[in-house]
Amino acid sequence: MDVTVAEYIRRTVLKIPRDEIKTMLQKWGFLSETQLQTVNFHQIKENISQDVVQLCEENSADIKQAAVLDIIYNHIYPNKRVWSVYQMNKTGEETEFFDLTDFKKKFKRRLRSALKNVTINFREYEDNAVWIRIAWGTPYTKPNQYKTSYVVYHSQTPYVFISVSVLKSNLPLLCQALVVASNYHDIREMELRSHSLNSLKDIVFKRYSQNFQTYYPRPLQERNVAPESGDLRIIHENRNERERIQRVNQEVFGDGPQPKLEFAQYKLETMFKSDPKMGVLDEKEPFRCLVKFSSPHLLESLKSLAPAGMADAPLSPLLTCIPQKARNYFKIREKKGFFPGSFVSP
Amino acid sequence: HLATSLPLPSERDHLRPRIDLIAFMIDIKSKYSLKNVEASLAHVDASFFLGKVCFLVTGVGRVNYCSVEMNAIWKLGEVYCSPVLFCELELEGIRVATAQRLLRMLQICAGHIPGVSALSFGSLMRNSDD
């Protein structure tokens, strides 16, 4: 077995949390059950990985099998990578039947015709999801298994989720290959990025709980309102306001859990508006400014701002439009024309 | 009675007892809360500032998250002649101790402690601050 393959398998096993190693190796299916029985999965990971490499040696593992283990790892722990969303466009109207074998063939052929030194692996999952792992080399060097890109393509949709690797220069080639293989016309990057792959899917497939603009009349105010649950000695003077905030929040964010995003970034190219007497930045040039919101769970924290008393309700639509517009990177320019204010560019 | 800002909603005026002490809570992590308190102070009748107002600054345990300048808080206490208390709501011991302090102050302001008036107590607290 190639020394580099052995090292790659060893490092991949080390990434897996100890309690999950056995299940993941079983999913991989490359080592037999009897072989797995011989490994003590309670020892330290360093030793487990050595034992696993030993067994792989017996089975003569090659890079293709090692790559499959890597795909399995990334499928179970996708949140370790940052994913961007791309949307493909078709000019024609008829939806062609998706042929997986044809897709794989065309993809490999396109990629390899431009760059011979690549490792390409596919794995299909439920939900019509095709996972593609690509390890990039150069015209003169073998593929670097540690510099990989991942693509998740749901064949019944025009959406592709790409985990950008360090080698951004390969991105146009990758996009081209995807378009050709899937019989689409072109591909564009949506301004939507996150660590949580499932949340990105929730947003573009509209699987999160959305606010529906329904009109429902406000309930009549009763004089003898039942007391709030909790200590009856505490009287909330602003109960109406609190209820309004809850209602507005619910209208905007819906009831269910929010998709998980870590950032929202707003690039401002607007004019600086100041007191004319201040004379600051009087030249008619846009004031370049970048505003970035970051949080372990951005949308949930935005949802809790008004109830926590830290912001007024309703929040700015620039913040609340994120799931509907399916983007978290914005460019804001001056709106020319009748209405003052800022214009969010597509 | 808890309120998020002043003035209090007028539709509840007839349900409200006499107010003996107003404690303005400022979250040191939120500039918004300081602004809110400053705006609400404008709606308080001047007679309250004779010992029936205090400022309660919360969140002081987390030094890294201070958004409000201490100078601004001291100035507020000075301008409105009212004591400033500090506490950390997340720690039960401090929470209980602060509640006991406020309760004591409330008893004085409500006139339940003979010989001590709200005004004399207020000036006592202010002098010990300097």
Side-chain angles (χ1 to χ4, degrees):
Chain A
M1 186 166 77
D2 200 326
V3 150
T4 49
V5 173
E7 180 61 13
Y8 184 70
I9 294 179
R10 191 185 74 83
R11 290 214 205 170
T12 309
V13 172
L14 281 177
K15 284 198 292 195
I16 310 170
R18 194 168 63 165
D19 298 331
E20 303 291 319
I21 298 182
K22 183 161 186 191
T23 354
M24 222 176 277
L25 291 176
Q26 282 168 331
K27 275 205 181 80
W28 187 31
F30 179 67
L31 301 173
S32 71
E33 194 59 42
T34 27
Q35 278 176 311
L36 289 176
Q37 304 281 17
T38 64
V39 180
N40 173 12
F41 289 100
H42 296 292
Q43 54 186 331
I44 58 169
K45 280 213 291 193
E46 190 68 55
N47 295 346
I48 299 179
S49 63
Q50 303 281 18
D51 288 353
V52 171
V53 170
Q54 190 63 30
L55 291 173
C56 292
E57 184 86 52
E58 288 171 19
N59 289 15
S60 314
D62 66 18
I63 192 58
K64 279 225 171 293
Q65 274 104 10
V68 170
L69 183 60
D70 188 41
I71 297 186
I72 294 173
Y73 171 77
N74 278 286
H75 177 255
I76 297 181
Y77 298 103
N79 301 345
K80 301 250 184 239
R81 305 180 77 106
V82 178
W83 299 87
S84 300
V85 190
Y86 290 74
Q87 186 177 17
M88 296 193 284
N89 287 314
K90 229 192 261 271
T91 42
E93 292 205 352
E94 76 288 353
T95 37
E96 288 159 26
F97 178 70
F98 179 73
D99 184 346
L100 183 61
T101 338
D102 189 52
F103 173 82
K104 292 203 257 196
K105 200 168 66 179
K106 283 197 181 138
F107 184 82
K108 280 196 282 211
R109 191 167 61 204
R110 194 64 159 97
L111 214 53
R112 289 224 167 92
S113 70
L115 188 62
K116 270 201 273 293
N117 287 321
V118 280
T119 315
I120 307 174
N121 285 80
F122 298 87
R123 196 166 168 89
E124 295 87 61
Y125 282 97
E126 73 288 339
D127 228 10
N128 294 310
V130 181
W131 279 61
I132 314 175
R133 174 188 180 277
I134 305 122
W136 303 96
T138 71
Y140 311 105
T141 59
K142 273 187 6 179
N144 184 341
Q145 300 302 327
Y146 300 95
K147 290 204 161 50
T148 51
S149 297
Y150 270 86
V151 174
V152 179
Y153 172 46
H154 283 252
S155 54
Q156 302 305 315
T157 77
Y159 296 106
V160 186
F161 305 88
I162 302 183
S163 172
V164 286
S165 70
V166 210
L167 299 168
K168 288 216 170 68
S169 53
N170 291 313
L171 199 52
L173 179 59
L174 178 57
C175 289
Q176 230 176 46
L178 280 166
V179 167
V180 164
S182 54
N183 295 318
Y184 275 85
H185 196 241
D186 61 47
I187 184 171
R188 73 169 182 103
E189 181 173 6
M190 296 171 71
E191 297 290 333
L192 183 62
R193 267 161 238 142
S194 173
H195 278 281
S196 169
L197 178 61
N198 283 332
S199 289
L200 291 175
K201 290 189 195 184
D202 284 344
I203 291 176
V204 291
F205 300 150
K206 307 263 176 240
R207 298 192 301 212
Y208 61 97
S209 73
Q210 300 176 70
N211 56 310
F212 294 105
Q213 300 286 17
T214 55
Y215 169 72
Y216 61 102
R218 221 170 278 179
L220 291 170
Q221 294 290 32
E222 289 175 5
R223 272 287 126 187
N224 302 326
V225 210
E228 270 186 22
S229 60
D231 197 331
L232 290 174
R233 293 174 296 178
I234 300 176
I235 297 175
H236 293 273
E237 289 284 344
N238 303 96
R239 194 188 314 165
N240 290 345
E241 179 63 11
R242 276 160 43 114
E243 284 170 3
R244 183 193 75 89
I245 290 177
Q246 292 287 13
R247 202 169 44 236
V248 166
N249 237 31
Q250 192 184 14
E251 278 167 24
V252 170
F253 289 100
D255 277 324
Q258 301 294 311
K260 193 160 191 252
L261 297 172
E262 298 89 40
F263 302 109
Q265 188 171 297
Y266 300 82
K267 202 167 182 177
L268 301 177
E269 286 167 14
T270 50
M271 307 298 277
F272 186 74
K273 293 184 177 70
S274 74
D275 191 344
K277 285 186 284 201
M278 276 173 69
V280 180
L281 295 175
D282 259 351
E283 316 100 271
K284 299 298 174 198
E285 256 188 46
F287 186 72
R288 268 170 266 247
C289 178
L290 188 78
V291 179
K292 187 172 184 178
F293 294 87
S294 57
S295 161
H297 198 321
L298 184 73
L299 294 176
E300 279 294 340
S301 57
L302 289 177
K303 185 177 178 182
S304 42
L305 277 181
M310 301 194 79
D312 292 326
L315 290 176
S316 159
L318 284 172
L319 291 170
T320 56
C321 71
I322 292 173
Q324 285 94 297
K325 288 219 158 96
R327 62 185 302 175
N328 55 350
Y329 286 76
F330 298 83
K331 261 206 198 61
I332 304 179
R333 292 196 206 101
E334 292 288 350
K335 186 161 187 174
K336 298 181 174 69
F338 286 60
F339 306 103
S342 47
F343 169 65
V344 182
S345 77
Chain B
H1 285 238
L2 290 182
T4 53
S5 63
L6 296 179
L8 294 173
S10 53
E11 59 257 18
R12 296 186 59 91
D13 277 344
H14 62 292
L15 295 167
R16 221 175 281 125
R18 182 191 74 201
I19 296 176
D20 291 313
L21 173 67
I22 306 179
F24 286 96
M25 292 179 68
I26 302 172
D27 184 353
I28 209 169
K29 306 192 290 293
S30 163
K31 284 199 170 82
Y32 184 79
S33 98
L34 179 63
K35 265 212 201 60
N36 190 14
V37 165
E38 283 171 342
S40 299
L41 279 163
H43 295 277
V44 178
D45 187 76
S47 60
F48 277 96
F49 294 107
L50 300 171
K52 294 196 177 171
V53 168
C54 80
F55 297 100
L56 182 63
V57 181
T58 65
V60 297
R62 297 188 185 269
V63 186
N64 291 342
Y65 294 97
C66 286
S67 259
V68 177
E69 299 274 317
M70 280 313 300
N71 284 340
I73 294 180
W74 291 130
K75 188 134 184 268
L76 206 61
E78 244 177 64
V79 166
Y80 289 96
C81 307
S82 299
V84 183
L85 303 178
F86 295 91
C87 80
E88 177 52 75
L89 292 176
E90 291 182 34
L91 298 172
E92 191 183 345
I94 302 183
R95 203 165 65 224
V96 170
T98 309
Q100 286 170 336
R101 284 177 86 180
L102 284 172
L103 197 56
R104 204 66 172 138
M105 282 177 69
L106 179 59
Q107 282 177 316
I108 294 171
C109 293
H112 289 191
I113 310 287
V116 186
S117 74
L119 189 55
S120 61
F121 182 71
S123 52
L124 193 69
M125 287 213 55
R126 264 213 327 283
N127 289 335
S128 68
D129 269 341
D130 293 327

